Amino acid sequence: MSVPTAGPEDEAARLDGAFRIVVVLALGLLVLTAIRLVVGGDPPLRAGALPNTAPATGPTRSPTSAPVDVEAYLEADVRAAPDIELTGPAGPLSLAAMRGRPVLVFFGYTHCPDVCPATIGTVGLAIDAYAGDAEAVFVSVDPERDTPDWLAEFVRFMPPGFRAVSGTPADVRATADAWGVRYARVETDQPGVYTMAHTADVFVVDRGGTLRARFPFGTDAPTMTAVLAAIDDLPPADASVAPNAPPPTEAPTTALSPVLVSSSVWSGGGSPVIFRLDSAEPAAPIEAVLLGTDGVAVGDPVPVVAVRPEGVAGVSYVATLDIPAPGAWRVELRSAAGVGVVDLTALDPGGSAALGEPAPAAPTATAADVESLTWLTTDPLPDPRLYDTTPADALAAGQPFVFVVDSYRFKVTQQCGQAMVMAKQLLDRWTGVPFIHHEPLRYSVVTTEPVLEGTLENPRLTDVAAAWGVDDGGDDRKSMPWIFVVDRHGTVRAKYYGVIGSADVDVILTQLADEDRTALRPVQDGPLAPLAAPGSAVRVWV
Amino acid sequence: MTAGPTIADAWVRPPMGPGQPAAGYMTITAPSGSADALVGASSPAAGAVEIHETSAGADGMMGMHPVERVELPSGSPVALEPGGYHLMLMDLTGDLTAGDTIELMLEFENSGEVIVRAAIREG
């Protein structure tokens, strides 16, 4: 029933009625909740509803009267806070030079309308209420847009005294790595328009420069204030590193300063790990070796391949490593001039199609097999190029292919849909490489609408999705989004899950192109379309 | 009989910088017995309004992306709140000053259009 344009008086009357309805609904909700608890089934978890923290509230809501569990936010292993040496509108900033006052540190980007402003607001209120001399540092993980000039505008909208800094992409990546902050660029539907995904914790560095606490996103201001006050009462920490603390940030030697680019690194065999180097004229690394967090080498050194995608500034380096188990590892890159070390976290691949092994043979359908593309995809504006090839076709033609497991409509993780967006952009750039999109959940088409079989909580996987092992990785792993890259021999060479950075697939495809170029001359050779913009000449695979 | 969904505590955070989008939040409850969905929005204060969702991935990275709809199960309040669903108000037509209000027109799948006033505040 539609409500015609309402004036303020109508609005007030509607709100009165609404209040009554809300009371009735609240009672109804209690009943429903009771029923739901009995019947079972959890509502889907939203990012705002983190367990064990207060629900994400605006800072102006009244604080809970329950005492704050300060311990829950303190770091178990205290260590010296990693340094920050970046630049802002006020000039260079060094976190070490800010000792003597507590500092709250958090990472984000200025084109973020939701998470970052919420964090800035909450931290501002927390510092106000703390009534001490705490400061705040915002590190931008988007130096491409967050230039010093732009940050100068941005700080005017932050609470007074906040500092915003950024640096070169390599400096930012190294800083984020040291803090354990992960981030990736995520393309959108519009070419050139992107957002950043990033971990959103707020870190607390005490007056002595020790990393004391961290607040997950959603922590409210009164909690932060209480923890700040509690930290003042703690005895000064011995700033030496605890035995099982994360390794220190400085590489043992600084001839190379590698930074990790890969958005997914997997344990098991054949995991491609992508690096960039931070220095003007690096000595190109020759080999890489995997180290445990104790610094002891595991396995033999492997060659490092330099890859330069067309139109992308800077060289990426790819080392294909066998990583024995999930968890924290280090990689040492060695060059003629010296070494560099970087930390990484390897994820457990579970039953997903194994790297270094033949891609699953399960046949997919193409547009020729169905009445309408609605049977193959729930995307209302499908790109036909995603549905005209099967993996078998690609292999028969000796082509590498990219297999995208994702759904437009049936989203079981919050990143669903984004792999498809990225695929469409990479399609324009890699016009000779088949991209194959597959919806992993079974559905049927009723009149013209896709209807899921089962429910989002208990969907039915297609045979193809089961063959690729997309949801076989424990409770946290859902069936999508995934991107697999398979080379011309049918071997799975790379895979990405969840939040997928746009650079990775481009680098891997370039690496495969380079490999095959040395083996086989392409029919037409020419520049690739620019990344994230529809383009020009094409590279065609033979 | 039930009118459309009820909207409570609609507010908009001013943008952080010139040309930046503003985020809009509220709690929407579809009346019990008639589920609905938020499928669009607009505002005289903005050139375009999209519905976005922020979410955390498997490795804790939070990102936001546009969504076509927000499901409103019957009788259950659904919050558009920081870190979750929100409206993205883009191409703002003027300054948003804390203390003022703006109009938001919300489009629901079953109930049509509803206009609410949202308070501009910092949090």
Side-chain angles (χ1 to χ4, degrees):
Chain A
M1 188 175 98
S2 67
V3 177
T5 307
E9 319 78 48
D10 300 349
E11 187 68 19
R14 207 169 63 78
L15 286 175
D16 274 343
F19 179 72
R20 278 182 230 121
I21 294 174
V22 166
V23 170
V24 170
L25 288 177
L27 291 174
L29 185 61
L30 280 176
V31 174
L32 283 174
T33 308
I35 294 173
R36 190 185 290 164
L37 284 173
V38 170
V39 168
D42 290 324
L45 190 67
R46 284 177 294 108
L50 293 166
N52 301 324
T53 65
T57 62
T60 53
R61 299 215 191 151
S62 50
T64 63
S65 53
V68 170
D69 179 9
V70 169
E71 286 292 324
Y73 299 96
L74 297 182
E75 293 285 278
D77 293 324
V78 290
R79 57 176 174 127
D83 202 4
I84 296 176
E85 288 193 348
L86 295 170
T87 310
L93 174 141
S94 160
L95 185 65
M98 294 172 72
R99 285 196 191 163
R101 291 167 229 152
V103 184
L104 280 75
V105 175
F106 54 107
F107 292 68
Y109 66 113
T110 68
H111 284 70
C112 165
D114 179 44
V115 170
C116 304
T119 305
I120 290 168
T122 306
V123 171
L125 283 177
I127 290 181
D128 267 351
Y130 168 68
D133 51 358
E135 303 208 43
V137 173
F138 169 79
V139 179
S140 167
V141 298
D142 183 16
E144 184 176 317
R145 286 185 295 205
D146 293 345
T147 61
D149 284 345
W150 178 260
L151 289 178
E153 269 301 308
F154 184 72
V155 292
R156 295 171 43 220
F157 296 84
M158 295 176 94
F162 273 49
R163 302 184 211 201
V165 293
S166 192
T168 66
D171 281 344
V172 170
R173 179 63 76 175
T175 306
D177 282 348
W179 287 79
V181 168
R182 295 175 296 282
Y183 64 94
R185 169 176 167 150
V186 180
E187 304 295 337
T188 70
D189 279 344
Q190 301 153 37
V193 178
Y194 63 92
T195 66
M196 304 296 294
H198 59 93
T199 55
D201 300 321
V202 175
F203 301 93
V204 182
V205 179
D206 72 9
R207 297 167 192 279
T210 304
L211 176 58
R212 279 290 189 175
R214 78 179 66 199
F215 304 118
F217 179 79
T219 308
D220 66 12
T223 303
M224 292 190 186
T225 307
V227 173
L228 275 173
I231 286 174
D232 279 340
D233 293 335
L234 291 174
D238 174 9
S240 62
V241 177
N244 53 349
T249 70
E250 289 299 325
T253 74
T254 54
L256 297 179
S257 304
V259 295
L260 183 68
V261 168
S262 294
S263 55
S264 302
V265 176
W266 304 95
S267 65
S271 193
V273 185
I274 305 175
F275 307 93
R276 303 279 293 252
L277 292 183
D278 167 25
S279 33
E281 290 295 331
I286 300 169
E287 58 182 24
V289 66
L290 184 70
L291 311 175
T293 49
D294 55 1
V296 175
V298 173
D300 294 329
V302 300
V304 171
V305 176
V307 175
R308 186 195 288 275
E310 296 248 2
V312 174
V315 181
S316 296
Y317 298 92
V318 184
T320 304
L321 292 167
D322 296 331
I323 303 178
W329 295 90
R330 311 181 73 184
V331 178
E332 182 178 276
L333 297 183
R334 299 170 177 170
S335 75
V339 301
V341 183
V342 67
D343 299 322
L344 61 78
T345 302
L347 304 170
D348 184 344
S352 59
L355 295 172
E357 296 294 318
T364 62
T366 65
D369 301 322
V370 294
E371 292 175 356
S372 87
L373 283 180
T374 313
W375 283 97
L376 297 182
T377 174
T378 60
D379 185 348
L381 295 175
D383 188 323
R385 295 173 292 176
L386 292 170
Y387 310 100
D388 62 8
T389 314
T390 68
D393 292 336
L395 291 182
Q399 289 173 310
F401 66 92
V402 177
F403 192 64
V404 180
V405 179
D406 199 6
S407 178
Y408 180 91
R409 179 117 166 199
F410 303 126
K411 297 182 158 94
V412 292
T413 74
Q414 316 304 341
Q415 286 73 41
C416 291
Q418 298 188 42
M420 291 174 60
V421 172
M422 187 182 307
K424 289 182 188 177
Q425 298 203 314
L426 288 168
L427 251 182
D428 286 330
R429 183 166 154 77
W430 291 92
T431 54
V433 174
F435 281 69
I436 304 170
H437 166 233
H438 180 76
E439 294 253 354
L441 304 182
R442 288 181 190 268
Y443 65 93
S444 40
V445 178
V446 177
T447 62
T448 56
E449 288 301 303
V451 174
L452 188 67
E453 292 186 22
T455 64
L456 280 179
E457 288 76 35
N458 284 304
R460 296 186 52 214
L461 222 56
T462 64
D463 290 341
V464 172
W468 286 80
V470 295
D471 72 340
D472 181 6
D475 290 337
D476 286 344
R477 182 81 45 77
K478 300 293 184 185
S479 54
M480 51 175 149
W482 283 93
I483 291 186
F484 296 88
V485 184
V486 179
D487 69 16
R488 60 195 302 276
H489 307 289
T491 303
V492 181
R493 296 292 297 270
K495 59 189 178 187
Y496 299 94
Y497 168 79
V499 178
I500 303 170
S502 12
D504 298 57
V505 178
D506 197 55
V507 167
I508 298 294
L509 286 175
T510 307
Q511 178 192 8
L512 297 183
D514 290 346
E515 281 175 9
D516 289 342
R517 192 203 286 273
T518 62
L520 198 68
R521 274 188 71 242
V523 169
Q524 280 176 25
D525 203 6
L528 292 176
L531 191 59
S536 46
V538 306
R539 173 176 293 186
V540 173
W541 293 82
V542 174
Chain B
M1 268 313 295
T2 57
T6 55
I7 294 110
D9 192 26
W11 64 282
V12 170
R13 182 186 282 115
M16 300 205 60
Q20 296 279 61
Y25 307 101
M26 62 197 69
T27 302
I28 309 177
T29 311
S32 75
S34 56
D36 207 336
L38 177 69
V39 295
S42 63
S43 172
V49 181
E50 293 180 353
I51 311 171
H52 280 235
E53 186 181 13
T54 298
S55 53
D59 46 7
M61 289 198 278
M62 304 193 73
M64 65 163 203
H65 49 282
V67 296
E68 297 273 300
R69 53 195 288 123
V70 178
E71 299 295 341
L72 302 169
S74 73
S76 279
V78 173
L80 279 68
E81 58 188 358
Y85 291 113
H86 53 279
L87 300 181
M88 269 256 284
L89 284 70
M90 306 184 297
D91 299 326
L92 296 173
T93 56
D95 286 338
L96 297 186
T97 314
D100 285 352
T101 63
I102 60 167
E103 269 192 2
L104 297 174
M105 193 202 67
L106 307 174
E107 193 186 330
F108 295 99
E109 182 166 61
N110 298 331
S111 316
E113 296 170 351
V114 172
I115 295 189
V116 295
R117 297 206 77 85
I120 300 175
R121 58 174 210 248
E122 295 286 348

